[in-house]
Amino acid sequence: MKKGCPYGTHRVISPKGVLPQPADVIDNTMEIYDNEVLIDVKTLNVDSASFTEIERRAGGDVEEIKKIMLGIVAKAGKHKNPWTGSGGMLIGTVKEVGPAYVGDLKPGDKIATLVSLSLTPLVIEEILEVRPEIDQVDIKGQAILFQSGIYAKLPEDMEEGLALSALDVAGAPAQTAKLVKPGQTVVVIGGGGKSGLLCLYEAKKRAGVTGKVICVAGSPKSEARAKNLDLADEYIVHDATDAVGMYNKIMELTDGQLADIVINCVNIENTEMASILACKDDGLVYFFSMATSFTKAALGAEGVGKDVNMIIGNGYTKGHAAITLQCLREHEGLRQLFKEMYA
Ligand code: NAP
């Protein structure tokens, strides 16, 4: 059996010398190296920005979505969306563990991989079902987890689909939990979406009774979702591409103070400036959205003379899976909503 690199560089075909995530093509032969884990895949949870783009290109046609997805994997050996660069994650059952793999996985374990599909060697033999409303795709196929790849064993107290959908965005509520301090004012843009709802819950919990959490929703429908669960102190519907309008609304809601922390959970482009303008000087903007442009954020903040700290939404922070699943355990309404919408 061949020896593998912990980061999976042994699977990179082109360009040579890069890691599997930025690579264009990786080797997806399902014969494991000595430190890899082979997974029988059940469901892919395609990243929201990625799925939205595929769906748009397919004109909403499910057969066309399947063709595009199969095409991506056939070309790249992984499901890295060529237009958004993003992936998603998967659930499946461990089939084989390499003898040099260090960890507690064994054949038969049901896991969710917490590393992006944009770097995971994947073979899709057949697409069994596409669920466009929740970005999930059931397949017959296999995937490889590298030694460095993080994962969560699926919890026994919730449905697989429910855990998968929450774990997909696990970085967001966990970062929120770490960033938000008592008494702070927090704005969550895209607050009625999947990651947004979890962030609102964590933000309110951490900001406490002296803090203020503002939900900015993209439509009355997603606003109602957050409102019905009483996840925030204030709710507005506002187009996050309208930066000046956002600034005026947040000024109004904060008595001219603006937010200590702005969390961006939208799935569309051009929302950097609304996030930056909603934040006070020395405040913090957390860009969880994969549609964020580093250039637009950096030059945009400079352009308006805003001294804000900006965090790129690293999908991983320590304990992210545990924090996220705990949100669903603590809030029955949130759990029910996630079950109805995503499970
Ligand atoms: P989601 O459930 O689709 O939520 C996105 C939200 O954005 C929706 O509630 C939508 O509101 C709102 N929105 C869309 N256009 C808007 C606009 N013009 N103004 C204001 N709000 C608008 O998506 P998600 O699963 O939470 O994911 C959110 C983002 O996180 C995506 O970009 C995804 O790619 C990214 N992501 C990042 C990581 C990471 O590791 N950093 C991991 C997973 C996902 P309506 O429903 O009302 O239209």
Side-chain angles (χ1 to χ4, degrees), residues 47-50 86 168-169 189-196 216-219 222 225 238-241 265-268 271 287-291 313-315 342:
D47 160 76
S48 174
S50 169
S86 57
D168 168 46
V169 294
I189 304 180
K194 186 162 69 166
S195 55
V216 180
S219 64
S222 66
R225 248 180 249 143
H238 192 79
D239 178 3
T241 60
C265 289
V266 303
N267 56 355
I268 54 149
T271 63
F287 286 110
F288 185 67
S289 166
M290 280 293 163
N314 180 349
Y342 310 115

Side-chain angles (χ1 to χ4, degrees), residues 10-30:
H10 53 278
R11 293 234 175 214
V12 173
I13 294 174
S14 75
K16 279 279 170 222
V18 303
L19 286 159
Q21 203 284 333
D24 297 327
V25 185
I26 61 172
D27 167 16
N28 64 347
T29 38
M30 290 295 140

Side-chain angles (χ1 to χ4, degrees), residues 186-192 200 213-217 222-223 226 232-237:
V186 183
V187 169
V188 180
I189 304 180
L200 285 176
V213 176
I214 301 169
C215 168
V216 180
S222 66
E223 180 193 41
D233 300 298
E234 305 273 3
Y235 304 85
I236 55 168
V237 175

